[in-house]
Amino acid sequence: MSRDVVAVKDLHKTVAVGFRRRRVQILKGVNLTVAANEVFGLLGPNGAGKTTTVKVLLGLMRPTSGSVELGVEGLGHVGYLPENPYFYDYLSGREFLGFCARLFGEDAVTRRERVEALLEDVSLLDAADTHLRKYSKGMLQRIGIAQALINDPELVLLDEPMTGLDPIGRVEVKRIIQKLHERGKTVLFNSHILSDVHELCSRIAIMRDGRVIWTGSVDEALAEGETLEQFFVRAVQA
Amino acid sequence: MRQVRAITVNTFRETIRDRVLAVIVVFALIMIVGGLWLGSISLGEQGRMMKDFGLAAVTGFGLIVAVFIAAGLVHKEVEKRTVFVLFSKPVSRGAFIAGKFLGLCGTMAVVLAGMGLFLFALVGVLDGRVSGMVLVATAMIYVQLLTVMAVTIFFSTLGSAILASVLGICVFVAGQLSQNVLQLTRLGKNPITEALSWVVYVIIPNLSAVDVKAGVVGEQTLAWGQIALWTAYLFAYMVVVLVLAAVVFRRKEF
């Protein structure tokens, strides 16, 4: 049996919002496991708690209660693409990736090789020396994916990786995710595009209102509904 | 340490390429040249006026750059969510604050060196001899502005960029006046106001202690030993403020 790379147990998160610091419970007991080498899809309507769960996994937010465990040795082995990423306006794509590689302490030769390889992988070699403020949304998304992979991570967390991409960009990102899977990496991604989830994921979890309401394989989901979309709608409306 | 260096280089690149910075510097240089006109109507005091006005322009525009960039530096990263990218990597909050500050120190060094050398050359042409004191005064303005930057970064970890800018400017002004206020309240012999001004004097960095502008224009003899000690005090002050900023920032969730 393969080991768990992500283990979330009874995770609760409450935040204080507004001037009167009203307490809002975002996560209400999330339980989730992602096994090594899985491509795992975290689905759910807006506000279900998907992004918050990922943020807690990364330490960007602290859990109110419950636990999260990563089966990798620290953040040095994790890659993350945030939703609607924004990067530094006055850096070029090549400089930005070089900066990210430096954060992991890569030596100059490895850094250069890795940056060039990733720029090629995400089809941004031609725009490598252009400032990021001149990048389109799709290009920013692709440079975001490249920075998430700069450390050759064992676990890759992608928050809405297909957002803003044209059909060709989507094909490229899907190819990258498939390649990561072939190389034994674990991928967890949030997405609203169920056809992509169907195509890429081995297992999925559906979240609603701060809880995981269903977990299983894509085949299991399809056994209960004609399409993944139908199954999803039925699950979140139940 | 590697992370601090990476963030320092990145911050320097990002801020030095900002067009707003270029506009401010060009405007500052125009103002310094404007000192020529003031000098021409000052009856034989052209060189003195040039130095006086030029150093005031270097201070004023340096303050604008220091406060507004420092206030936006941390806040922009949070607002635009680049912190997600940084803190999902093995980067500590302390390394982030240190790297941001050091990167901005580099940018300020370039900005002030540009303005200081321009003024130095202008005074040299006007007086017919070079005055190294203009460069020394610019270096001391740099120390003052680094202190204001550290304080502004600290405030930006607590609240909005606008609030941090306003408080940064307030600290600069108070830092110029705190010593005089303390001396004045001592003359008044009121123990309460004296105690209050003492508290302000301890909390607010004493920036006027390293202000050598009066010495440059020949109004005051400078005690370099004391200035060196006060400079060391300001650097210690910056370290304390930045450590506090890192502590506050470590508690933040994104």
Side-chain angles (χ1 to χ4, degrees), chain A residues 18-201:
Chain A
F19 184 70
R20 302 181 72 178
R21 313 302 289 159
R22 189 169 56 88
R23 294 175 73 76
V24 175
Q25 208 177 1
I26 303 176
L27 301 180
K28 299 169 181 171
V30 174
N31 288 291
L32 193 71
T33 55
V34 180
N37 197 22
E38 257 187 341
V39 178
F40 192 94
L42 192 55
L43 314 180
N46 290 335
K50 307 182 295 289
T51 298
T52 306
T53 304
V54 171
K55 282 184 184 174
V56 176
L57 279 173
L58 290 163
L60 295 170
M61 289 180 119
R62 286 181 289 273
T64 305
S65 67
S67 69
V68 291
E69 278 174 42
L70 294 180
V72 292
E73 287 172 36
L75 290 176
H77 298 272
V78 179
Y80 172 55
L81 168 74
E83 188 182 1
N84 298 323
Y86 168 87
F87 305 113
Y88 303 98
D89 278 346
Y90 292 97
L91 292 190
S92 69
R94 183 173 276 123
E95 284 171 341
F96 174 60
L97 291 184
F99 163 61
C100 292
R102 273 196 195 93
L103 293 175
F104 289 97
E106 303 283 9
D107 63 82
V109 177
T110 317
R111 205 162 61 215
R112 210 170 303 132
E113 283 173 4
R114 190 93 194 111
V115 167
E116 295 308 310
L118 280 167
L119 283 169
E120 198 176 347
D121 267 359
V122 295
S123 309
L124 282 174
L125 265 179
D126 289 343
D129 294 315
T130 305
H131 282 180
L132 294 174
R133 71 196 156 94
K134 292 181 182 163
Y135 274 31
S136 67
K137 200 177 175 197
M139 288 162 89
L140 282 176
Q141 193 76 1
R142 280 185 279 154
I143 203 79
I145 290 170
Q147 66 77 31
L149 305 178
I150 197 79
N151 53 328
D152 193 19
E154 286 173 49
L155 169 64
V156 185
L157 305 168
L158 305 171
D159 202 345
E160 302 288 354
M162 313 296 183
T163 306
L165 294 177
D166 59 19
I168 295 167
R170 271 174 63 190
V171 169
E172 277 171 4
V173 172
K174 281 193 267 187
R175 183 181 50 78
I176 291 168
I177 293 174
Q178 269 156 355
K179 219 160 105 183
L180 287 168
H181 177 61
E182 283 159 20
R183 290 177 55 215
K185 312 290 184 187
T186 308
V187 181
L188 185 155
F189 75 92
N190 299 347
S191 185
H192 289 301
I193 305 169
L194 297 178
S195 57
D196 294 337
V197 173
H198 185 183
E199 215 174 308
L200 292 166
C201 295

Side-chain angles (χ1 to χ4, degrees), chain B residues 36-50:
Chain B
L36 284 173
W37 174 78
L38 268 183
S40 68
I41 56 167
S42 63
L43 297 173
E45 292 281 351
Q46 198 168 7
R48 186 180 171 280
M49 277 301 287
M50 187 67 231

Side-chain angles (χ1 to χ4, degrees), chain B residues 229-246:
Chain B
L229 279 176
W230 279 109
T231 304
Y233 149 80
L234 286 181
F235 276 105
Y237 189 95
M238 287 177 223
V239 172
V240 171
V241 168
L242 290 171
V243 167
L244 284 175

Side-chain angles (χ1 to χ4, degrees), chain B residues 107-251:
Chain B
T107 304
M108 277 307 292
V110 173
V111 168
L112 282 193
M115 292 195 287
L117 286 170
F118 184 72
L119 180 63
F120 171 74
L122 216 57
V123 169
V125 169
L126 214 61
D127 283 357
R129 63 187 171 86
V130 291
S131 167
M133 280 306 288
V134 169
L135 295 180
V136 174
T138 307
M140 298 322 288
I141 293 169
Y142 180 62
V143 174
Q144 292 183 50
L145 294 181
L146 292 191
T147 314
V148 175
M149 268 162 43
V151 173
T152 308
I153 286 176
F154 168 69
F155 287 132
S156 74
T157 61
L158 294 171
S160 72
I162 294 170
L163 182 71
S165 308
V166 171
L167 291 174
I169 292 169
C170 289
V171 166
F172 178 80
V173 174
Q176 303 291 339
L177 301 174
S178 63
Q179 199 166 15
N180 290 340
V181 170
L182 181 67
Q183 283 163 358
L184 280 173
T185 51
R186 275 178 181 163
L187 292 175
K189 299 201 188 305
N190 180 334
I192 295 169
T193 51
E194 196 180 330
L196 275 174
S197 57
W198 176 253
V199 170
V200 172
Y201 182 71
V202 169
I203 294 173
I204 302 288
N206 182 3
L207 301 175
S208 62
V210 296
D211 190 342
V212 298
K213 286 198 283 290
V216 174
V217 293
E219 283 178 354
Q220 189 184 318
T221 315
L222 298 169
W224 288 108
Q226 269 197 340
I227 289 170
L229 279 176
W230 279 109
T231 304
Y233 149 80
L234 286 181
F235 276 105
Y237 189 95
M238 287 177 223
V239 172
V240 171
V241 168
L242 290 171
V243 167
L244 284 175
V247 169
V248 172
F249 205 57
R250 215 163 60 185
R251 295 169 55 86

